[in-house]
Amino acid sequence: MGNVTEVDAGGNPVGEPVSYGNTKDIIKCATATFKTMEPRVVVCPGVGDKLETVGSLTLTMDANNNVTVEEVSGKAAITNASGTYKIEGDYDYVAKVGTRAPQFDLEYTYENGGKYYHVVEKLVLRQDPLYDLRVETW
């Protein structure tokens, strides 16, 4: 969830911010499947409110939970990027009320079709990954 604002090459707003995602009820937000590249490095499909065809983000977390945000090669160029990772973020897990979910807080600018867009977003883990584990018995 977040906000996207079209900006000029200098970073000055050209239009009004457009919100995406539901900041009150995360169950209504779009979901994305991250791809783990190595420990502390994941790829998030899409940039801002756009699909993966526009671009993707590589998120690399250091030991202090600072996040480096980079573009995936051949996709939208990412600039002025920063991020942090919170072990206990702003929202509860969907299936476990009272337990705070981890989240990435990101801010970056990307270029698409000759235009620039400034993004401020939160990527929230909706449920504990253990709920997604499946065992098949024969």
Side-chain angles (χ1 to χ4, degrees):
M1 69 189 81
N3 295 306
V4 176
T5 307
E6 185 179 346
V7 295
D8 62 20
N12 302 307
V14 174
E16 293 296 316
V18 176
S19 295
Y20 59 95
N22 188 321
T23 59
K24 294 183 178 157
D25 189 0
I26 65 169
I27 194 71
K28 295 179 181 176
C29 290
T31 59
T33 301
F34 286 23
K35 181 178 180 183
T36 303
M37 304 305 289
E38 58 186 72
R40 297 184 168 275
V41 179
V42 296
V43 173
C44 173
V47 290
D49 61 345
K50 299 296 180 194
L51 301 175
E52 187 175 8
T53 54
V54 173
S56 296
L57 303 173
T58 300
L59 307 176
T60 305
M61 184 173 47
D62 69 16
N64 296 320
N65 295 336
N66 296 309
V67 178
T68 302
V69 182
E70 300 172 303
E71 73 257 17
V72 170
S73 181
K75 300 282 186 172
I78 305 294
T79 58
N80 303 322
S82 64
T84 57
Y85 176 78
K86 293 180 184 176
I87 294 171
E88 293 185 353
D90 301 329
Y91 297 88
D92 286 346
Y93 278 122
V94 171
K96 201 171 183 183
V97 175
T99 303
R100 291 294 186 179
Q103 75 186 39
F104 287 101
D105 290 328
L106 307 176
E107 187 168 353
Y108 56 91
T109 301
Y110 73 93
E111 184 269 331
N112 182 32
K115 294 183 178 182
Y116 298 91
Y117 301 91
H118 182 76
V119 179
V120 178
E121 68 183 347
K122 294 177 189 282
L123 305 176
V124 180
L125 185 63
R126 287 179 26 163
Q127 72 178 8
D128 191 314
L130 293 175
Y131 288 121
D132 289 326
L133 294 177
R134 304 289 185 264
V135 176
E136 189 174 321
T137 59
W138 299 82

